[in-house]
């Protein structure tokens, strides 16, 4: 009978993988959001860096060149046996933003997280995705669950066009983080659908 | 009231080729195919089981990797599980792929031209809806 011979094991089929970036300024809740929707505790890899080729100005704050590492954390959502979604929290510190270029390659899109108390920390992140034409949604992380500004006011201050969704969220809450991701997918689906017509 | 985002000025410092930090292992060089480019963070790798007969005995650190990818595992996960930098893991994966000891499965291609794959997006959307 087919499959009864233990020596003939079916090779495990590798799932297709896709990724979404969770971006934003330093300490805005990126890792928290990854962790709240991921099925695994966010994993972390540390990449050692040398500072070769850096402008002297960029070295401010990098005391131990050899010991400098950039951390990348990520989570996983198994969509089906055949499809797995990875979420990558981009490194927040601006001197590591060169990594965003690599990370953005092949991403479906991005969530730009904003700390409601200091939106300017994520301005550059909005610029990054806007410039590269990478679809994104804005998640406004209301630390302590406070949302003093309505989405439209936030959209205006960020000078965002109508088609960029702005969502109030709590990065610590699974449903809330999931809804931000769903808003991104809805935007992607709407755009792909419009282009296909 | 909120601060307003100023119009984008010059490119974010450190984000581009000019002031690029160089990853130490990028300079190992000398390798032809397979190349590091075959392994993205979400490329999945799987140990070939049983290993090909002509394969030479894997080194101890290769065995560690092979043990972790009996089932398909993404490169980023492998690096995190082994507590090694991705760049180091990728170099070892190149050797393993060349030796026929693993297979590599590339990520789902994402191209915006002409447009993203609707069927794929819908699947991801539905999966998130089930969370
Ligand atoms: N009260 C509250 N704390 C939060 C919230 N989101 C994140 N935090 C906390 O804020 C701190 C920073 O959150 P992280 O998720 O590490 O932020 P990050 O954006 O990953 O930070 P970097 O990677 O260092 O840029 C942590 O101590 C979190 O526990 C929130 O919605 N409410
Ligand atoms: Mg983080």
């Amino acid at each position: 009978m087919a499959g009864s011979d233990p020596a003939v094991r079916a090779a495990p089929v590798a799932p297709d993988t896709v990724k979404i970036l969770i971006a934003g300024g330093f300490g805005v809740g990126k890792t928290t959001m990854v962790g709240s929707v991921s099925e695994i505790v966010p994993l972390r890899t540390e990449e050692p860096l040398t500072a070769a080729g850096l402008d002297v100005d960029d070295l401010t704050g990098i005391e131990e060149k050899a010991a400098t590492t950039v951390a990348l954390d990520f989570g996983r959502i198994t969509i089906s046996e055949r499809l797995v979604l990875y979420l990558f929290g981009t490194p927040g510190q601006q001197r590591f933003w060169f990594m965003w270029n690599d990370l953005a390659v092949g991403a479906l899109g991005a969530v730009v997280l904003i700390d409601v108390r200091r939106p300017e920390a994520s301005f550059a992140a909005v610029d990054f995705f806007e410039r590269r034409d990478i679809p994104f949604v804005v998640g406004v992380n209301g630390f302590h669950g406070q949302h003093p500004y309505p989405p439209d006011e936030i959209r205006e201050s960020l000078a965002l066009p109508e088609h960029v969704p702005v969502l109030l969220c709590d990065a610590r809450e699974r449903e809330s983080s999931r809804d931000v991701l769903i808003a991104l997918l809805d935007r992607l689906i709407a755009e792909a659908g419009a282009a296909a017509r | 009231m909120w601060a307003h985002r100023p119009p984008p000025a010059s490119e974010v410092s450190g984000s581009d080729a000019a002031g690029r930090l160089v990853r130490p292992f990028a300079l190992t060089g000398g390798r032809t195919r397979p190349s590091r480019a075959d392994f993205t963070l979400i490329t999945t790798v799987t140990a070939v089981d049983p290993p090909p007969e002509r394969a030479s005995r894997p080194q101890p650190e290769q065995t560690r990797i092979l043990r972790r990818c009996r089932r398909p595992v993404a490169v980023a996960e492998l690096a995190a599980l082994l507590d090694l930098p991705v760049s180091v893991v990728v170099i070892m994966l190149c050797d393993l792929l060349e030796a026929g000891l693993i297979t590599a499965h590339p990520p789902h291609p994402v191209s915006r031209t002409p447009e993203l794959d609707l069927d794929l997006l819908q699947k991801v959307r539905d999966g998130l809806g089930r969370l």
Side-chain angles (χ1 to χ4, degrees):
Chain A
M1 217 172 81
S4 61
D5 182 353
V8 187
R9 263 162 299 178
V13 178
D16 272 347
T17 52
V18 290
K19 68 179 171 182
I20 289 174
L21 308 189
I22 311 294
F26 186 59
V28 297
K30 300 179 295 292
T31 303
T32 303
M33 176 169 271
V34 170
S36 73
V37 280
S38 172
E39 67 199 20
I40 50 171
V41 178
L43 294 172
R44 162 173 277 242
T45 73
E46 304 268 348
E47 202 64 11
L49 297 162
T50 62
L54 259 195
D55 288 347
V56 177
D57 279 356
D58 290 338
L59 287 172
T60 326
I62 304 184
E63 270 70 51
E64 276 296 318
K65 288 188 203 178
T68 302
T69 62
V70 55
L72 200 64
D73 43 34
F74 60 96
R76 187 211 308 141
I77 298 174
T78 300
I79 301 291
S80 71
E81 228 168 73
R82 306 279 311 121
L83 185 59
V84 177
L85 168 65
Y86 286 90
L87 303 173
F88 284 89
T90 59
Q93 284 168 286
Q94 288 218 5
R95 68 169 191 269
F96 294 142
W97 279 28
F98 69 94
M99 271 199 88
W100 291 28
N101 286 319
D102 286 354
L103 275 176
V105 175
L108 292 178
V111 171
V112 175
L113 255 196
I114 287 183
D115 176 344
V116 73
R117 302 163 304 177
R118 44 183 191 98
E120 61 286 351
S122 293
F123 283 174
V126 172
D127 292 345
F128 180 93
F129 294 105
E130 223 168 42
R131 263 173 216 219
R132 287 164 181 78
D133 260 333
I134 298 170
F136 65 98
V137 298
V138 169
V140 183
N141 190 17
F143 274 67
H144 312 295
Q146 305 272 299
H147 283 293
Y149 310 110
D152 280 346
E153 200 170 316
I154 292 163
R155 175 194 310 287
E156 196 184 312
S157 74
L158 289 172
L160 290 174
E162 255 334 289
H163 64 264
V164 179
V166 175
L167 290 101
L168 306 180
C169 69
D170 185 330
R172 300 165 298 178
E173 297 288 333
R174 180 181 173 87
E175 290 77 27
S176 180
S177 298
R178 175 202 63 194
D179 288 346
V180 175
L181 291 173
I182 287 179
L184 174 64
L185 265 298
D186 284 342
R187 177 183 172 187
L188 295 172
I189 288 168
E191 287 174 4
R197 268 192 295 277
Chain B
M1 183 41 210
W2 271 36
H4 278 252
R5 179 168 64 110
S10 63
E11 187 55 78
V12 177
S13 116
S15 75
D16 250 325
R20 204 175 168 85
L21 290 158
V22 175
R23 285 173 239 186
F25 301 96
L27 304 172
T28 309
R31 279 163 211 279
T32 47
R33 68 211 160 97
S35 84
R36 293 169 42 100
D38 294 325
F39 299 96
T40 73
L41 288 169
I42 59 169
T43 298
T44 47
V45 295
T46 313
V48 172
D49 184 26
E53 271 167 30
R54 56 181 170 77
S56 52
R57 204 165 186 53
Q59 323 247 301
E61 69 273 23
Q62 290 182 324
T63 306
R64 255 183 98 210
I65 291 191
L66 290 172
R67 219 178 286 138
R68 290 286 188 177
C69 54
R70 284 191 188 128
R71 306 207 43 84
V73 60
V75 170
E77 285 187 83
L78 197 52
L81 292 169
L82 296 168
D83 200 16
L84 287 172
V86 172
S87 50
V88 172
V89 170
V90 164
I91 287 171
M92 297 200 274
L93 290 174
C94 283
D95 292 341
L96 289 170
L97 185 62
E98 190 152 40
L101 290 166
I102 58 166
T103 56
H105 182 72
H108 192 98
V110 169
S111 158
R112 301 191 194 289
T113 47
E115 69 259 353
L116 283 178
D117 175 354
L118 252 182
D119 179 54
L120 168 77
L121 295 172
Q122 197 60 53
K123 279 186 184 137
V124 176
R125 166 74 173 78
D126 293 347
L128 290 170
R130 285 191 298 270
L131 280 185

PDB file of all heavy atoms in Angstrom, chain B residues 99-130:
ATOM      1  N   ALA B  99      26.494  20.799  -0.690  1.00  0.00           N
ATOM      2  CA  ALA B  99      26.755  19.388  -0.408  1.00  0.00           C
ATOM      3  C   ALA B  99      25.510  18.526  -0.594  1.00  0.00           C
ATOM      4  O   ALA B  99      25.549  17.316  -0.400  1.00  0.00           O
ATOM      5  CB  ALA B  99      27.285  19.246   1.018  1.00  0.00           C
ATOM      6  N   GLY B 100      24.404  19.149  -0.941  1.00  0.00           N
ATOM      7  CA  GLY B 100      23.176  18.382  -1.152  1.00  0.00           C
ATOM      8  C   GLY B 100      22.535  17.904   0.140  1.00  0.00           C
ATOM      9  O   GLY B 100      21.701  17.008   0.127  1.00  0.00           O
ATOM     10  N   LEU B 101      22.907  18.506   1.257  1.00  0.00           N
ATOM     11  CA  LEU B 101      22.389  18.054   2.549  1.00  0.00           C
ATOM     12  C   LEU B 101      21.106  18.766   2.962  1.00  0.00           C
ATOM     13  O   LEU B 101      20.410  18.324   3.875  1.00  0.00           O
ATOM     14  CB  LEU B 101      23.460  18.229   3.636  1.00  0.00           C
ATOM     15  CG  LEU B 101      24.647  17.270   3.504  1.00  0.00           C
ATOM     16  CD1 LEU B 101      25.803  17.718   4.389  1.00  0.00           C
ATOM     17  CD2 LEU B 101      24.230  15.844   3.864  1.00  0.00           C
ATOM     18  N   ILE B 102      20.831  19.885   2.318  1.00  0.00           N
ATOM     19  CA  ILE B 102      19.555  20.573   2.576  1.00  0.00           C
ATOM     20  C   ILE B 102      18.929  20.981   1.235  1.00  0.00           C
ATOM     21  O   ILE B 102      19.605  21.037   0.215  1.00  0.00           O
ATOM     22  CB  ILE B 102      19.715  21.857   3.434  1.00  0.00           C
ATOM     23  CG1 ILE B 102      20.667  22.853   2.748  1.00  0.00           C
ATOM     24  CG2 ILE B 102      20.181  21.543   4.830  1.00  0.00           C
ATOM     25  CD1 ILE B 102      20.613  24.259   3.333  1.00  0.00           C
ATOM     26  N   THR B 103      17.637  21.267   1.306  1.00  0.00           N
ATOM     27  CA  THR B 103      16.989  21.944   0.184  1.00  0.00           C
ATOM     28  C   THR B 103      16.546  23.314   0.699  1.00  0.00           C
ATOM     29  O   THR B 103      16.328  23.493   1.901  1.00  0.00           O
ATOM     30  CB  THR B 103      15.752  21.181  -0.314  1.00  0.00           C
ATOM     31  OG1 THR B 103      14.849  20.986   0.787  1.00  0.00           O
ATOM     32  CG2 THR B 103      16.135  19.833  -0.885  1.00  0.00           C
ATOM     33  N   ALA B 104      16.452  24.265  -0.207  1.00  0.00           N
ATOM     34  CA  ALA B 104      16.019  25.612   0.174  1.00  0.00           C
ATOM     35  C   ALA B 104      14.772  25.964  -0.615  1.00  0.00           C
ATOM     36  O   ALA B 104      14.693  25.716  -1.816  1.00  0.00           O
ATOM     37  CB  ALA B 104      17.128  26.622  -0.110  1.00  0.00           C
ATOM     38  N   HIS B 105      13.781  26.497   0.078  1.00  0.00           N
ATOM     39  CA  HIS B 105      12.524  26.879  -0.557  1.00  0.00           C
ATOM     40  C   HIS B 105      12.394  28.405  -0.459  1.00  0.00           C
ATOM     41  O   HIS B 105      12.311  28.943   0.641  1.00  0.00           O
ATOM     42  CB  HIS B 105      11.363  26.174   0.158  1.00  0.00           C
ATOM     43  CG  HIS B 105      10.022  26.449  -0.425  1.00  0.00           C
ATOM     44  ND1 HIS B 105       9.613  25.944  -1.633  1.00  0.00           N
ATOM     45  CD2 HIS B 105       8.987  27.194   0.039  1.00  0.00           C
ATOM     46  CE1 HIS B 105       8.379  26.363  -1.891  1.00  0.00           C
ATOM     47  NE2 HIS B 105       7.979  27.128  -0.895  1.00  0.00           N
ATOM     48  N   PRO B 106      12.400  29.097  -1.588  1.00  0.00           N
ATOM     49  CA  PRO B 106      12.376  30.566  -1.542  1.00  0.00           C
ATOM     50  C   PRO B 106      11.027  31.088  -1.066  1.00  0.00           C
ATOM     51  O   PRO B 106      10.026  30.374  -1.139  1.00  0.00           O
ATOM     52  CB  PRO B 106      12.633  30.975  -2.998  1.00  0.00           C
ATOM     53  CG  PRO B 106      12.174  29.813  -3.811  1.00  0.00           C
ATOM     54  CD  PRO B 106      12.406  28.593  -2.962  1.00  0.00           C
ATOM     55  N   PRO B 107      10.997  32.321  -0.559  1.00  0.00           N
ATOM     56  CA  PRO B 107       9.729  32.907  -0.136  1.00  0.00           C
ATOM     57  C   PRO B 107       8.775  33.037  -1.314  1.00  0.00           C
ATOM     58  O   PRO B 107       9.211  33.007  -2.467  1.00  0.00           O
ATOM     59  CB  PRO B 107      10.103  34.309   0.355  1.00  0.00           C
ATOM     60  CG  PRO B 107      11.566  34.387   0.369  1.00  0.00           C
ATOM     61  CD  PRO B 107      12.111  33.251  -0.411  1.00  0.00           C
ATOM     62  N   HIS B 108       7.500  33.211  -1.015  1.00  0.00           N
ATOM     63  CA  HIS B 108       6.535  33.470  -2.060  1.00  0.00           C
ATOM     64  C   HIS B 108       6.949  34.755  -2.764  1.00  0.00           C
ATOM     65  O   HIS B 108       7.182  35.762  -2.104  1.00  0.00           O
ATOM     66  CB  HIS B 108       5.138  33.626  -1.443  1.00  0.00           C
ATOM     67  CG  HIS B 108       4.057  33.621  -2.461  1.00  0.00           C
ATOM     68  ND1 HIS B 108       3.324  32.503  -2.755  1.00  0.00           N
ATOM     69  CD2 HIS B 108       3.613  34.576  -3.287  1.00  0.00           C
ATOM     70  CE1 HIS B 108       2.459  32.789  -3.709  1.00  0.00           C
ATOM     71  NE2 HIS B 108       2.617  34.046  -4.052  1.00  0.00           N
ATOM     72  N   PRO B 109       7.068  34.729  -4.076  1.00  0.00           N
ATOM     73  CA  PRO B 109       7.521  35.940  -4.760  1.00  0.00           C
ATOM     74  C   PRO B 109       6.517  37.081  -4.562  1.00  0.00           C
ATOM     75  O   PRO B 109       5.316  36.872  -4.633  1.00  0.00           O
ATOM     76  CB  PRO B 109       7.618  35.528  -6.229  1.00  0.00           C
ATOM     77  CG  PRO B 109       6.826  34.278  -6.345  1.00  0.00           C
ATOM     78  CD  PRO B 109       6.795  33.626  -5.001  1.00  0.00           C
ATOM     79  N   VAL B 110       7.042  38.250  -4.265  1.00  0.00           N
ATOM     80  CA  VAL B 110       6.195  39.425  -4.075  1.00  0.00           C
ATOM     81  C   VAL B 110       6.612  40.469  -5.092  1.00  0.00           C
ATOM     82  O   VAL B 110       7.681  41.038  -5.007  1.00  0.00           O
ATOM     83  CB  VAL B 110       6.342  39.986  -2.643  1.00  0.00           C
ATOM     84  CG1 VAL B 110       5.679  41.353  -2.534  1.00  0.00           C
ATOM     85  CG2 VAL B 110       5.725  39.027  -1.637  1.00  0.00           C
ATOM     86  N   SER B 111       5.766  40.648  -6.062  1.00  0.00           N
ATOM     87  CA  SER B 111       6.081  41.632  -7.091  1.00  0.00           C
ATOM     88  C   SER B 111       4.891  42.558  -7.229  1.00  0.00           C
ATOM     89  O   SER B 111       3.749  42.126  -7.236  1.00  0.00           O
ATOM     90  CB  SER B 111       6.359  40.929  -8.416  1.00  0.00           C
ATOM     91  OG  SER B 111       6.158  41.828  -9.480  1.00  0.00           O
ATOM     92  N   ARG B 112       5.173  43.849  -7.284  1.00  0.00           N
ATOM     93  CA  ARG B 112       4.066  44.812  -7.395  1.00  0.00           C
ATOM     94  C   ARG B 112       3.767  45.141  -8.850  1.00  0.00           C
ATOM     95  O   ARG B 112       2.918  45.964  -9.141  1.00  0.00           O
ATOM     96  CB  ARG B 112       4.399  46.089  -6.643  1.00  0.00           C
ATOM     97  CG  ARG B 112       4.647  45.790  -5.198  1.00  0.00           C
ATOM     98  CD  ARG B 112       4.727  46.995  -4.326  1.00  0.00           C
ATOM     99  NE  ARG B 112       5.280  46.589  -3.060  1.00  0.00           N
ATOM    100  CZ  ARG B 112       4.632  45.862  -2.178  1.00  0.00           C
ATOM    101  NH1 ARG B 112       3.396  45.487  -2.403  1.00  0.00           N
ATOM    102  NH2 ARG B 112       5.205  45.498  -1.059  1.00  0.00           N
ATOM    103  N   THR B 113       4.499  44.518  -9.741  1.00  0.00           N
ATOM    104  CA  THR B 113       4.228  44.762 -11.152  1.00  0.00           C
ATOM    105  C   THR B 113       3.880  43.444 -11.812  1.00  0.00           C
ATOM    106  O   THR B 113       4.719  42.555 -11.857  1.00  0.00           O
ATOM    107  CB  THR B 113       5.470  45.375 -11.833  1.00  0.00           C
ATOM    108  OG1 THR B 113       6.606  44.606 -11.431  1.00  0.00           O
ATOM    109  CG2 THR B 113       5.653  46.823 -11.417  1.00  0.00           C
ATOM    110  N   PRO B 114       2.702  43.235 -12.336  1.00  0.00           N
ATOM    111  CA  PRO B 114       1.663  44.258 -12.406  1.00  0.00           C
ATOM    112  C   PRO B 114       0.990  44.509 -11.053  1.00  0.00           C
ATOM    113  O   PRO B 114       0.692  45.631 -10.715  1.00  0.00           O
ATOM    114  CB  PRO B 114       0.660  43.670 -13.403  1.00  0.00           C
ATOM    115  CG  PRO B 114       0.858  42.189 -13.325  1.00  0.00           C
ATOM    116  CD  PRO B 114       2.288  41.961 -12.949  1.00  0.00           C
ATOM    117  N   GLU B 115       0.742  43.490 -10.266  1.00  0.00           N
ATOM    118  CA  GLU B 115       0.120  43.720  -8.962  1.00  0.00           C
ATOM    119  C   GLU B 115       0.340  42.492  -8.091  1.00  0.00           C
ATOM    120  O   GLU B 115       0.669  41.416  -8.573  1.00  0.00           O
ATOM    121  CB  GLU B 115      -1.376  43.984  -9.103  1.00  0.00           C
ATOM    122  CG  GLU B 115      -2.192  42.784  -9.529  1.00  0.00           C
ATOM    123  CD  GLU B 115      -2.560  42.796 -11.012  1.00  0.00           C
ATOM    124  OE1 GLU B 115      -2.283  43.797 -11.675  1.00  0.00           O
ATOM    125  OE2 GLU B 115      -3.104  41.803 -11.489  1.00  0.00           O
ATOM    126  N   LEU B 116       0.144  42.698  -6.785  1.00  0.00           N
ATOM    127  CA  LEU B 116       0.267  41.575  -5.872  1.00  0.00           C
ATOM    128  C   LEU B 116      -0.800  40.533  -6.190  1.00  0.00           C
ATOM    129  O   LEU B 116      -1.882  40.843  -6.667  1.00  0.00           O
ATOM    130  CB  LEU B 116       0.119  42.055  -4.432  1.00  0.00           C
ATOM    131  CG  LEU B 116       1.334  42.750  -3.822  1.00  0.00           C
ATOM    132  CD1 LEU B 116       1.009  43.202  -2.406  1.00  0.00           C
ATOM    133  CD2 LEU B 116       2.528  41.823  -3.803  1.00  0.00           C
ATOM    134  N   ASP B 117      -0.455  39.321  -5.884  1.00  0.00           N
ATOM    135  CA  ASP B 117      -1.291  38.160  -6.130  1.00  0.00           C
ATOM    136  C   ASP B 117      -2.527  38.187  -5.200  1.00  0.00           C
ATOM    137  O   ASP B 117      -2.425  37.975  -4.004  1.00  0.00           O
ATOM    138  CB  ASP B 117      -0.364  36.962  -5.855  1.00  0.00           C
ATOM    139  CG  ASP B 117      -1.051  35.642  -5.928  1.00  0.00           C
ATOM    140  OD1 ASP B 117      -2.291  35.613  -6.077  1.00  0.00           O
ATOM    141  OD2 ASP B 117      -0.332  34.639  -5.834  1.00  0.00           O
ATOM    142  N   LEU B 118      -3.684  38.465  -5.793  1.00  0.00           N
ATOM    143  CA  LEU B 118      -4.921  38.605  -5.009  1.00  0.00           C
ATOM    144  C   LEU B 118      -5.249  37.377  -4.182  1.00  0.00           C
ATOM    145  O   LEU B 118      -5.669  37.472  -3.032  1.00  0.00           O
ATOM    146  CB  LEU B 118      -6.095  38.892  -5.951  1.00  0.00           C
ATOM    147  CG  LEU B 118      -6.680  40.297  -5.957  1.00  0.00           C
ATOM    148  CD1 LEU B 118      -7.855  40.381  -6.919  1.00  0.00           C
ATOM    149  CD2 LEU B 118      -7.115  40.710  -4.552  1.00  0.00           C
ATOM    150  N   ASP B 119      -5.041  36.229  -4.799  1.00  0.00           N
ATOM    151  CA  ASP B 119      -5.370  34.977  -4.125  1.00  0.00           C
ATOM    152  C   ASP B 119      -4.521  34.813  -2.858  1.00  0.00           C
ATOM    153  O   ASP B 119      -5.026  34.446  -1.792  1.00  0.00           O
ATOM    154  CB  ASP B 119      -5.134  33.830  -5.112  1.00  0.00           C
ATOM    155  CG  ASP B 119      -5.435  32.498  -4.476  1.00  0.00           C
ATOM    156  OD1 ASP B 119      -6.564  32.347  -3.957  1.00  0.00           O
ATOM    157  OD2 ASP B 119      -4.557  31.613  -4.486  1.00  0.00           O
ATOM    158  N   LEU B 120      -3.238  35.141  -2.980  1.00  0.00           N
ATOM    159  CA  LEU B 120      -2.334  35.070  -1.834  1.00  0.00           C
ATOM    160  C   LEU B 120      -2.802  36.036  -0.739  1.00  0.00           C
ATOM    161  O   LEU B 120      -2.900  35.670   0.437  1.00  0.00           O
ATOM    162  CB  LEU B 120      -0.909  35.420  -2.280  1.00  0.00           C
ATOM    163  CG  LEU B 120       0.084  35.656  -1.136  1.00  0.00           C
ATOM    164  CD1 LEU B 120       0.515  34.322  -0.548  1.00  0.00           C
ATOM    165  CD2 LEU B 120       1.300  36.433  -1.617  1.00  0.00           C
ATOM    166  N   LEU B 121      -3.092  37.263  -1.136  1.00  0.00           N
ATOM    167  CA  LEU B 121      -3.510  38.277  -0.160  1.00  0.00           C
ATOM    168  C   LEU B 121      -4.777  37.851   0.561  1.00  0.00           C
ATOM    169  O   LEU B 121      -4.906  38.008   1.780  1.00  0.00           O
ATOM    170  CB  LEU B 121      -3.734  39.619  -0.860  1.00  0.00           C
ATOM    171  CG  LEU B 121      -2.494  40.276  -1.470  1.00  0.00           C
ATOM    172  CD1 LEU B 121      -2.881  41.491  -2.288  1.00  0.00           C
ATOM    173  CD2 LEU B 121      -1.492  40.658  -0.382  1.00  0.00           C
ATOM    174  N   GLN B 122      -5.705  37.286  -0.204  1.00  0.00           N
ATOM    175  CA  GLN B 122      -6.958  36.858   0.392  1.00  0.00           C
ATOM    176  C   GLN B 122      -6.720  35.742   1.414  1.00  0.00           C
ATOM    177  O   GLN B 122      -7.340  35.717   2.474  1.00  0.00           O
ATOM    178  CB  GLN B 122      -7.920  36.387  -0.718  1.00  0.00           C
ATOM    179  CG  GLN B 122      -9.368  36.317  -0.282  1.00  0.00           C
ATOM    180  CD  GLN B 122      -9.922  37.681   0.175  1.00  0.00           C
ATOM    181  OE1 GLN B 122      -9.827  38.660  -0.558  1.00  0.00           O
ATOM    182  NE2 GLN B 122     -10.460  37.740   1.395  1.00  0.00           N
ATOM    183  N   LYS B 123      -5.793  34.859   1.086  1.00  0.00           N
ATOM    184  CA  LYS B 123      -5.479  33.775   2.030  1.00  0.00           C
ATOM    185  C   LYS B 123      -4.905  34.336   3.328  1.00  0.00           C
ATOM    186  O   LYS B 123      -5.257  33.896   4.422  1.00  0.00           O
ATOM    187  CB  LYS B 123      -4.470  32.812   1.402  1.00  0.00           C
ATOM    188  CG  LYS B 123      -5.105  31.815   0.462  1.00  0.00           C
ATOM    189  CD  LYS B 123      -4.062  30.802   0.005  1.00  0.00           C
ATOM    190  CE  LYS B 123      -4.662  29.861  -1.006  1.00  0.00           C
ATOM    191  NZ  LYS B 123      -3.746  29.625  -2.137  1.00  0.00           N
ATOM    192  N   VAL B 124      -4.007  35.298   3.201  1.00  0.00           N
ATOM    193  CA  VAL B 124      -3.408  35.895   4.403  1.00  0.00           C
ATOM    194  C   VAL B 124      -4.494  36.623   5.203  1.00  0.00           C
ATOM    195  O   VAL B 124      -4.589  36.485   6.430  1.00  0.00           O
ATOM    196  CB  VAL B 124      -2.272  36.872   4.028  1.00  0.00           C
ATOM    197  CG1 VAL B 124      -1.725  37.562   5.274  1.00  0.00           C
ATOM    198  CG2 VAL B 124      -1.144  36.129   3.309  1.00  0.00           C
ATOM    199  N   ARG B 125      -5.324  37.354   4.498  1.00  0.00           N
ATOM    200  CA  ARG B 125      -6.423  38.092   5.131  1.00  0.00           C
ATOM    201  C   ARG B 125      -7.342  37.139   5.905  1.00  0.00           C
ATOM    202  O   ARG B 125      -7.700  37.404   7.053  1.00  0.00           O
ATOM    203  CB  ARG B 125      -7.214  38.840   4.043  1.00  0.00           C
ATOM    204  CG  ARG B 125      -8.566  39.400   4.429  1.00  0.00           C
ATOM    205  CD  ARG B 125      -8.401  40.629   5.307  1.00  0.00           C
ATOM    206  NE  ARG B 125      -9.639  41.318   5.597  1.00  0.00           N
ATOM    207  CZ  ARG B 125     -10.546  40.935   6.508  1.00  0.00           C
ATOM    208  NH1 ARG B 125     -10.374  39.806   7.173  1.00  0.00           N
ATOM    209  NH2 ARG B 125     -11.606  41.654   6.739  1.00  0.00           N
ATOM    210  N   ASP B 126      -7.715  36.038   5.268  1.00  0.00           N
ATOM    211  CA  ASP B 126      -8.593  35.066   5.918  1.00  0.00           C
ATOM    212  C   ASP B 126      -7.921  34.447   7.138  1.00  0.00           C
ATOM    213  O   ASP B 126      -8.548  34.227   8.173  1.00  0.00           O
ATOM    214  CB  ASP B 126      -9.004  33.963   4.932  1.00  0.00           C
ATOM    215  CG  ASP B 126      -9.895  34.505   3.812  1.00  0.00           C
ATOM    216  OD1 ASP B 126     -10.386  35.645   3.944  1.00  0.00           O
ATOM    217  OD2 ASP B 126     -10.083  33.793   2.804  1.00  0.00           O
ATOM    218  N   GLY B 127      -6.637  34.169   6.999  1.00  0.00           N
ATOM    219  CA  GLY B 127      -5.895  33.579   8.114  1.00  0.00           C
ATOM    220  C   GLY B 127      -5.873  34.519   9.316  1.00  0.00           C
ATOM    221  O   GLY B 127      -6.051  34.104  10.459  1.00  0.00           O
ATOM    222  N   LEU B 128      -5.667  35.800   9.046  1.00  0.00           N
ATOM    223  CA  LEU B 128      -5.655  36.784  10.136  1.00  0.00           C
ATOM    224  C   LEU B 128      -7.045  36.882  10.763  1.00  0.00           C
ATOM    225  O   LEU B 128      -7.182  37.024  11.987  1.00  0.00           O
ATOM    226  CB  LEU B 128      -5.221  38.159   9.614  1.00  0.00           C
ATOM    227  CG  LEU B 128      -3.745  38.286   9.205  1.00  0.00           C
ATOM    228  CD1 LEU B 128      -3.491  39.605   8.484  1.00  0.00           C
ATOM    229  CD2 LEU B 128      -2.847  38.171  10.433  1.00  0.00           C
ATOM    230  N   GLY B 129      -8.068  36.789   9.926  1.00  0.00           N
ATOM    231  CA  GLY B 129      -9.439  36.855  10.422  1.00  0.00           C
ATOM    232  C   GLY B 129      -9.755  35.719  11.391  1.00  0.00           C
ATOM    233  O   GLY B 129     -10.619  35.852  12.248  1.00  0.00           O
ATOM    234  N   ARG B 130      -9.035  34.612  11.237  1.00  0.00           N
ATOM    235  CA  ARG B 130      -9.293  33.449  12.116  1.00  0.00           C
ATOM    236  C   ARG B 130      -8.556  33.558  13.437  1.00  0.00           C
ATOM    237  O   ARG B 130      -8.766  32.756  14.329  1.00  0.00           O
ATOM    238  CB  ARG B 130      -8.876  32.157  11.397  1.00  0.00           C
ATOM    239  CG  ARG B 130      -9.838  31.700  10.297  1.00  0.00           C
ATOM    240  CD  ARG B 130      -9.504  30.287   9.824  1.00  0.00           C
ATOM    241  NE  ARG B 130      -8.181  30.174   9.242  1.00  0.00           N
ATOM    242  CZ  ARG B 130      -7.919  30.354   7.942  1.00  0.00           C
ATOM    243  NH1 ARG B 130      -8.891  30.636   7.113  1.00  0.00           N
ATOM    244  NH2 ARG B 130      -6.694  30.244   7.485  1.00  0.00           N
TER     245      ARG B 130
END
